[in-house]
Amino acid sequence: MKHRNPRTRYIRILATLAVVAVAATVLLATGHGHRASHVRMHPGTAWLASVQTGQATLVDGMTGEVVSQAQVAAPGSPLSITQHGTNAYVLNHATGTLQRIDGTTEQISSPASLLPAASDNLALAVAPNTLYAVDTHSGTVAAADPHTLAPRDTPQLLAAHIAADGLAVDDRDRLWTIDHHTGELAWLTGRQRRTRPSATGTGAPRLTVTLHQPALVDPARGIAELLDPDTGTVTRTAQPNIQPSDTLAVSGSPDRSRLLLAIGTRGTFNVCAFDTTSCGTPVTIGAPGDDLGAPVEASEHAVVPNYSTGQVTIIDLATTRVVAQRQLFDQPGRFELLTRDGIVFFNDPNSNRAGVLDLAGSVRTITKHNQPRTDSGVSDVQDGDGPSQPNHDSTIPGLAVLTGIERKPVSETPRRTDGSTRTPPAEKLPSPAPTVSIVVKPRGYGYVGDEFELALVVRPATSLAGTRWWFGDGAEATGTSVRHRWSRPGTFRVRAAAVLAAGGQPSITETRVIVDPAGTPPRITHLDIQRPTPVVGERVRFSADVTANPDTWIWTITRPGQAVPETTSHTAQFRHTFLTPGTYTVTLAIAIGTNTANLSQNITVTKGEVKAWGNKANGVTSVPPEATSGVTAIDAGGNHSVALKADGSVIAWGYESDGQSSVPPEATSGVTAIDAGGNHSLALKADGSVIAWGNNVFGQVSVPPQAASGVTAISAGPWHSLALKADGSVIAWGNNDEGQVSVPPQAASDVAAIDAGGNHSLALKADGSVIAWGNNDEGQVSVPPQAASGVTAISAEGPHSLALKADGSIIAWGYNQYGQISVPPQAASGVTAISAGVLHSLALKADGSIVAWGADFDGQISVPPEAADGITAISAGGSHSLAY
């Protein structure tokens, strides 16, 4: 590494002199530091079990293709697969043997027996350095080396009887169990068995691990507990609304202390957060009595399987609202649901059906293996000596008549010399089929006798040969759009099957319609306020979720101490612009006949006034009058500042050497986002186009054609620019002498956020991982392991990088001459926003206070009293800082 004077680097960036040119080697890596060329199994792949063929199938979640097939057992053998890192562990329940598939070479180990006998009650739990085989019936545990499968000691008794949902491992190799009969908690630390008696002495709490700590949910006491991993004592509690009779399936978030609960007896989903020791409002996701499985989590979404219906429900954890419900299987049964690198896979081990589910609800079906042809010419595989698997389509009456589909055989997959099989390159799976969904109008709930309009929506738009409907009350219909009335109350499962004009398998989808008895009082389930923290002059949208079609809507917005409302409205949704900061109460009252309901919520309107401190040269901290109210976004550049007003106009001030503070006419309206670079500025228009102005020595304001539309986010570095497209890909332009605009393949899709640093670039993937490229003289693109998951925000400006974790903690790496990556204790938790300057850093706390650290040559980290609290946004620049 060449050693440079830090002050010189600082001056060069701020004065926008020549860019330092140093040769650098960029290492593109996947996983945890493995070179991409050395790793066959890349992120987003999963091994799925196929009982019919005795195979483990490796599926690529990004392409929806079968990558490889490994023959691990005789056809018909009951198999289960546990994946840890890139390796897969295959358990054969018929023989009680275990095999390991190496994720790098795909080599299959010899079968190993860890417990004395085969059993349907065998389970695997894989920790970083220990593999546990557990007989849940006898409570016997055997430990083995996860690489060689060699036993580490003789099996030992851990509990009398272990429930399937009473087993968990943490990242320190401890195995945790709950005795199904007594509720006793037991765990292994090495060979030492430790216990904690049940608080009730009866019943079995559900056990999971969240943020490296064990947690249990006890229906008998109606309580959730977070446990100390060393002593088993309770450190925090929460009170979910559960009863002793409730059936539960529980999982824990990996990146925060949070539990996800699926309550089958009520058909609901709930979230409990241990950091706030609170639980949310239950969300209805099924019918009471449904068999709900443990939720899986991906990218701040929960996916809950419903084994009673073959359906999954996707919930946005930020809003606890249902995003979509999708039919994966056409008949009841236990299926597998798992996540890998933010991708959700589903699999029926006993059939050929598997696939990938995206978090918007789109489904891509995968054929795991080719099936031998029967005498009738129909592709079918028998499970051992039993009957062949039923055609899933036959479970819907009349579907076979509607579709008239003829199944065709598929040729046998060639076998490789190492015993595994690989799908030939010429036999790539077809492109994903169009997705179908149901739209219910006026909404998905109403009263007995109400008329509902149901329409089938196909994306992308595709011609249909026919559509058939089943309404759950015995009635059927055909047609793309139908109308129906229910004559009795209940929750009805509405299903539709569409046959594409181009042929192929029918596309099946479903939804639920809730019908209440006539006269049932209406309910308001949620007030939707966009944005929830508005500023003066901002136009705010108000709407609500209700359980009926009200006769009247009455909205009122009041302010404490004022007798006259701020405004009123009598429509289902409306917009209002606040002219004065303060706290307001929003109330909605609805009525159907004489039945009424109301709900209120407080919101705080801020002034939106920019505060600035630090370097006073060139007026960079002299906030203009237009920026003293109504500002919705800010960004501090090298020596200039940019702000976005609530009316969509841009304000800029400070250094004007290259016109970076001269806002062009196109940026005086319709702007939704801004960013300030070294000596140039960017603005994003509502139509998805990018505007750029200022210094163009390296083409950083020459917006490429790809950024003319479809852009969702922008970022400006000292000499280069980035744009994020709606499809999750990154576009870069400008100076590239350090590779900062050479976008790596990892940033070609699934990117959620971007930020341009001094001579490097950052991208945040949808799975919460960070990728970086460009200059690495100070380690600024050497992303630490802590930023491999659970990241919610990123920031870069000079030669260092910041990342914000979901738990409110900060990760920092890169140049540290002035302590800019030495995160102070005050910023160790409770942080909601971050901003990296050239040589300093800022953090915004949940209480509205700012923490600043790093270089203070010009007072850029000396937060003034007027910015001590009530802050909602921050930005660190060259040697100044902004907040509002």
Side-chain angles (χ1 to χ4, degrees):
M1 180 192 302
K2 293 184 179 180
H3 296 279
R4 307 188 184 109
N5 185 296
R7 180 69 177 180
T8 301
R9 177 193 293 267
Y10 170 73
I11 294 172
R12 283 178 176 177
I13 295 176
L14 296 189
T16 62
L17 298 176
V19 176
V20 179
V22 177
T25 300
V26 179
L27 174 64
L28 300 181
T30 60
H32 299 285
H34 300 290
R35 290 182 182 271
S37 59
H38 292 175
V39 179
R40 293 182 66 178
M41 181 176 178
H42 53 80
T45 56
W47 287 97
L48 306 179
S50 298
V51 169
Q52 294 177 345
T53 59
Q55 292 178 336
T57 303
L58 182 62
V59 173
D60 188 325
M62 298 297 295
T63 64
E65 294 184 354
V66 172
V67 178
S68 182
Q69 293 164 316
Q71 194 70 43
V72 294
S77 300
L79 304 175
S80 62
I81 296 179
T82 302
Q83 193 164 320
H84 188 267
T86 60
N87 303 314
Y89 299 88
V90 184
L91 181 61
N92 187 330
H93 295 269
T95 62
T97 56
L98 177 68
Q99 291 175 280
R100 176 181 181 269
I101 305 177
D102 188 284
T104 302
T105 65
E106 293 180 18
Q107 291 296 313
I108 307 168
S109 72
S110 299
S113 297
L114 300 182
L115 290 171
S119 171
D120 290 336
N121 300 304
L122 292 182
L124 287 183
V126 186
N129 301 297
T130 307
L131 182 147
Y132 294 100
V134 182
D135 185 335
T136 58
H137 180 71
S138 67
T140 305
V141 177
D145 185 297
H147 302 288
T148 65
L149 304 187
R152 288 196 169 152
D153 216 324
T154 57
Q156 66 182 115
L157 183 66
L158 186 57
H161 190 282
I162 302 171
D165 53 2
L167 185 69
V169 290
D170 62 26
D171 61 353
R172 292 174 61 183
D173 282 32
R174 286 172 293 216
L175 176 68
W176 299 82
T177 64
I178 291 284
D179 189 294
H180 185 59
H181 295 311
T182 66
E184 180 185 60
L185 176 72
W187 67 98
L188 281 180
T189 302
R191 286 287 297 171
Q192 183 183 7
R193 177 181 183 270
R194 305 183 67 183
T195 63
R196 194 199 80 178
S198 168
T200 60
T202 59
R206 280 51 166 182
L207 181 67
T208 189
V209 169
T210 176
L211 194 62
H212 319 305
Q213 287 186 253
L216 57 83
V217 179
D218 189 352
R221 295 181 292 140
I223 195 169
E225 296 176 331
L226 185 67
L227 308 179
D228 185 293
D230 295 316
T231 65
T233 57
V234 177
T235 60
R236 291 194 177 188
T237 62
Q239 302 284 338
N241 182 21
I242 55 175
Q243 303 297 325
S245 59
D246 281 334
T247 57
L248 301 177
V250 180
S251 62
S253 294
D255 56 1
R256 64 182 70 184
S257 293
R258 178 174 66 186
L259 296 182
L260 311 180
L261 295 81
I263 308 171
T265 42
R266 309 183 192 192
T268 60
F269 169 84
N270 205 350
V271 179
C272 290
F274 284 117
D275 54 352
T276 59
T277 64
S278 63
C279 300
T281 302
V283 178
T284 299
I285 60 172
D290 277 354
D291 184 9
L292 302 181
V296 301
E297 182 176 341
S299 303
E300 271 302 283
H301 288 72
V303 185
V304 185
N306 188 328
Y307 303 129
S308 296
T309 64
Q311 186 185 60
V312 294
T313 302
I314 305 169
I315 301 119
D316 185 333
L317 293 176
T319 61
T320 60
R321 300 182 68 182
V322 173
V323 175
Q325 288 187 315
R326 290 294 179 264
Q327 191 73 32
L328 302 183
F329 299 94
D330 299 330
Q331 56 188 3
R334 293 255 162 178
F335 57 90
E336 298 175 339
L337 200 62
L338 62 150
T339 62
R340 289 288 301 166
D341 305 301
I343 298 175
V344 181
F345 297 82
F346 60 89
N347 179 46
D348 178 6
N350 297 308
S351 77
N352 200 13
R353 185 173 175 83
V356 178
L357 174 73
D358 77 21
L359 298 178
S362 297
V363 177
R364 286 182 290 167
T365 301
I366 295 169
T367 301
K368 291 184 292 183
H369 51 78
N370 297 324
Q371 299 181 340
R373 186 176 180 177
T374 66
D375 293 339
S376 64
V378 176
S379 174
D380 241 346
V381 173
Q382 292 191 347
D383 194 3
D385 296 328
S388 62
Q389 294 294 312
N391 181 347
H392 285 210
D393 300 341
S394 65
T395 61
I396 304 180
L399 183 56
V401 176
L402 172 69
T403 60
I405 292 173
E406 178 184 356
R407 298 179 182 271
K408 297 183 179 180
V410 184
S411 60
E412 184 179 355
T413 302
R415 185 171 301 281
R416 292 168 48 183
T417 56
D418 63 1
S420 66
T421 58
R422 178 178 290 279
T423 304
E427 294 185 4
K428 288 184 180 295
L429 296 178
S431 300
T435 60
V436 296
S437 59
I438 298 172
V439 175
V440 183
K441 295 182 179 180
R443 53 183 54 85
Y445 33 79
Y447 296 103
V448 171
D450 285 354
E451 184 178 70
F452 293 81
E453 179 182 353
L454 301 99
L456 192 74
V457 178
V458 185
R459 293 187 178 89
T462 305
S463 297
L464 298 179
T467 305
R468 194 175 189 91
W469 296 81
W470 296 265
F471 298 109
D473 59 354
E476 300 179 13
T478 59
T480 305
S481 179
V482 296
R483 295 177 182 272
H484 187 68
R485 299 175 190 267
W486 277 268
S487 60
R488 67 178 189 270
T491 300
F492 295 92
R493 181 184 180 194
V494 179
R495 309 182 78 188
V499 179
L500 305 181
Q505 292 279 6
S507 296
I508 303 170
T509 187
E510 76 167 49
T511 190
R512 290 179 183 269
V513 174
I514 300 172
V515 180
D516 286 333
T520 301
R523 299 185 303 277
I524 305 171
T525 59
H526 176 72
L527 297 184
D528 189 16
I529 303 172
Q530 298 296 330
R531 290 183 313 153
T533 54
V535 301
V536 169
E538 184 175 1
R539 194 164 173 78
V540 184
R541 178 181 176 273
F542 298 87
S543 61
D545 290 337
V546 299
T547 61
N549 190 15
D551 297 327
T552 60
W553 298 72
I554 303 176
W555 292 88
T556 59
I557 299 179
T558 58
R559 193 173 181 188
Q562 291 187 350
V564 179
E566 170 86 5
T567 190
T568 60
S569 177
H570 297 273
T571 58
Q573 54 182 275
F574 73 104
R575 297 178 184 272
H576 178 66
T577 301
F578 292 90
L579 302 179
T580 307
T583 299
Y584 295 81
T585 300
V586 180
T587 301
L588 170 63
I590 60 175
I592 299 178
T594 59
N595 294 316
T596 62
N598 61 78
L599 184 65
S600 296
Q601 181 176 325
N602 288 337
I603 65 168
T604 299
V605 178
T606 63
K607 186 177 180 182
E609 178 183 7
V610 177
K611 285 93 170 175
W613 64 97
N615 189 350
K616 294 179 173 53
N618 306 301
V620 69
T621 56
S622 300
V623 180
E626 312 94 279
T628 57
S629 68
V631 169
T632 60
I634 51 175
D635 202 56
N639 278 302
H640 73 294
S641 302
V642 180
L644 176 63
K645 295 278 285 184
D647 61 5
S649 63
V650 178
I651 306 165
W653 65 96
Y655 201 42
E656 182 64 347
S657 59
D658 296 285
Q660 62 265 47
S661 298
S662 298
V663 179
E666 313 94 275
T668 57
S669 65
V671 174
T672 61
I674 52 168
D675 209 73
N679 278 337
H680 75 289
S681 304
L682 300 179
L684 176 63
K685 297 280 282 187
D687 62 4
S689 63
V690 178
I691 304 167
W693 64 96
N695 185 284
N696 199 32
V697 170
F698 293 97
Q700 63 265 43
V701 303
S702 299
V703 180
Q706 306 96 299
S709 63
V711 174
T712 61
I714 51 176
S715 183
W719 305 103
H720 73 292
S721 303
L722 302 178
L724 176 62
K725 296 280 283 186
D727 63 3
S729 63
V730 178
I731 304 167
W733 64 97
N735 183 34
N736 197 34
D737 67 352
E738 304 282 358
Q740 61 266 48
V741 304
S742 298
V743 180
Q746 302 98 306
S749 62
D750 295 325
V751 173
I754 51 174
D755 208 31
N759 287 316
H760 73 291
S761 301
L762 298 180
L764 174 63
K765 298 280 283 185
D767 63 4
S769 63
V770 178
I771 55 178
W773 62 97
N775 181 278
N776 200 33
D777 282 356
E778 307 295 344
Q780 61 266 48
V781 304
S782 298
V783 181
Q786 306 96 298
S789 64
V791 174
T792 60
I794 51 175
S795 185
E797 179 79 10
H800 75 288
S801 305
L802 301 179
L804 176 63
K805 296 279 282 186
D807 61 3
S809 63
I810 298 174
I811 306 165
W813 63 98
Y815 188 53
N816 198 35
Q817 178 68 32
Y818 298 95
Q820 59 266 47
I821 69 169
S822 299
V823 182
Q826 308 95 294
S829 63
V831 174
T832 60
I834 52 174
S835 184
V838 173
L839 295 174
H840 74 291
S841 303
L842 300 179
L844 177 63
K845 300 275 285 184
D847 61 5
S849 63
I850 298 174
V851 183
W853 64 98
D856 201 27
F857 303 130
D858 297 293
Q860 59 263 51
I861 68 170
S862 300
V863 182
E866 60 268 24
D869 54 33
I871 300 300
T872 58
I874 53 173
S875 182
S879 59
H880 72 291
S881 302
L882 302 178
Y884 77 79

